Amino acid sequence: MNPYLLIALILFAYMNLWFVLALLQKRNDIADIAWGLGFVILAWTAYLIQGQFNMFALIVNILVSIWGLRLAWHVYSRNHDKPEDRRYMAWRVEWGKWVNLRAYFQVFMLQGLFLFLIISPVLLLNFTADAKPGMLPVIGLPIWIIGFLFESIGDKQLADFIKKPENKGKLMQTGLWRYSRHPNYFGEVTQWWGIWLFVSMLSGGLFTLIGPLTISLLIIFVSGIPMLEKKYKDRADFQDYAKRTSIFFPLPPKI
């Protein structure tokens, strides 16, 4: 069987399993936990399918695992013992009697499709037994580290800020959030461009641009930044914050 087809079938089964869990728990936001874990499972499955030692694939799989496991734990910790995420609750109201059917296709299956596209560079590297990416991984690794630090530190700073009762109703504007309105999203996108550098010199490496481009477009223009900015756009404190602070790339705040 074609290895990419096998990965796609495993991913399909994986997302269906999480959909069943969502029905049992009556909360579709567990799809956010499935997101990070799915990358880890597919990366190592591809490595095992190839069946040969591949140093560069091993390194990238470890990076993907660090990213995916941290993200899944972060989402779980954030949502544990709390009501379903407000976005998914809003969709329940909007979708009405069709909520389960639409959640299946518009949440779980669509997420699976994006997952497959984004992880395509990792799959190519794992399926290339004699991968020799040249010197670009030397650049890719520090770029990944920078991205990981921005995402993990940004998430931690925001979580600590929200936990303090005196910050209820306030807007996070300190730490990394002083330089970017979305430092965690900047970090996530940066990590995937760092990973792409590990495979960009392989045969077919140009095709794998679909991976980092997909995560970049999703976060910057579709489901990441736009959804959060829409939530706060009418608040005066956010409007002032937006005038001073870069929306994505970390930059010195405007005076």
Side-chain angles (χ1 to χ4, degrees):
M1 180 182 293
N2 182 286
Y4 289 97
L5 177 58
L6 179 57
I7 289 292
L9 291 174
I10 292 172
L11 177 58
F12 179 71
Y14 174 79
M15 297 311 299
N16 273 278
L17 174 61
W18 279 93
F19 175 69
V20 172
L21 291 175
L23 291 177
L24 294 174
Q25 295 190 16
K26 295 182 173 58
R27 55 184 305 163
N28 290 320
D29 60 353
I30 65 171
D32 294 341
I33 301 174
W35 176 254
L37 292 178
F39 287 90
V40 179
I41 291 173
L42 294 191
W44 289 109
T45 299
Y47 188 85
L48 293 175
I49 289 174
Q50 173 58 36
Q52 297 184 41
F53 177 75
N54 182 332
M55 182 184 69
F56 289 104
L58 186 63
I59 293 172
V60 166
N61 285 0
I62 291 173
L63 298 182
V64 170
S65 298
I66 293 172
W67 169 79
L69 293 174
R70 188 214 68 87
L71 181 60
W73 176 253
H74 170 72
V75 173
Y76 172 78
S77 301
R78 184 186 65 195
N79 295 347
H80 183 58
D81 290 335
K82 293 188 178 81
E84 187 178 36
D85 184 279
R86 58 177 181 78
R87 295 170 299 162
Y88 294 90
M89 291 180 68
W91 285 335
R92 284 187 183 278
V93 175
E94 179 184 344
W95 294 342
K97 67 178 182 179
W98 301 105
V99 60
N100 290 333
L101 183 64
R102 292 190 65 171
Y104 178 76
F105 287 105
Q106 292 179 234
V107 176
F108 291 90
M109 290 299 103
L110 184 61
Q111 188 180 92
L113 173 61
F114 287 138
L115 199 161
F116 188 83
L117 294 175
I118 295 166
I119 204 173
S120 60
V122 179
L123 297 180
L124 176 63
L125 182 60
N126 276 282
F127 291 147
T128 306
D130 57 345
K132 296 177 182 178
M135 292 299 294
L136 284 179
V138 177
I139 304 172
L141 183 58
I143 288 176
W144 183 90
I145 292 173
I146 291 171
F148 179 78
L149 291 175
F150 265 91
E151 183 177 28
S152 56
I153 293 175
D155 280 341
K156 181 66 165 56
Q157 289 177 339
L158 181 59
D160 290 343
F161 179 85
I162 293 174
K163 286 178 182 177
K164 297 179 180 179
E166 62 268 28
N167 291 329
K168 185 176 181 180
K170 294 183 179 179
L171 197 66
M172 176 69 171
Q173 302 182 46
T174 57
L176 294 179
W177 301 80
R178 182 170 181 263
Y179 306 98
S180 168
R181 303 206 298 269
H182 305 278
N184 50 350
Y185 283 154
F186 167 78
E188 184 162 350
V189 169
T190 300
Q191 285 174 85
W192 283 101
W193 281 104
I195 287 174
W196 175 75
L197 287 172
F198 278 81
V199 302
S200 58
M201 295 301 292
L202 298 179
S203 175
L206 186 62
F207 166 78
T208 61
L209 274 171
I210 195 171
L213 283 176
T214 298
I215 190 67
S216 300
L217 292 173
L218 283 176
I219 284 181
I220 298 173
F221 300 108
V222 184
S223 62
I225 292 175
M227 291 185 69
L228 283 177
E229 298 266 312
K230 182 179 180 180
K231 177 184 176 182
Y232 295 103
K233 66 182 180 66
D234 295 327
R235 287 178 47 164
D237 57 348
F238 177 77
Q239 292 170 5
D240 179 65
Y241 174 56
K243 290 177 182 178
R244 293 182 284 103
T245 311
S246 169
I247 188 172
F248 183 70
F249 293 101
L251 296 171
K254 298 176 183 177
I255 300 176

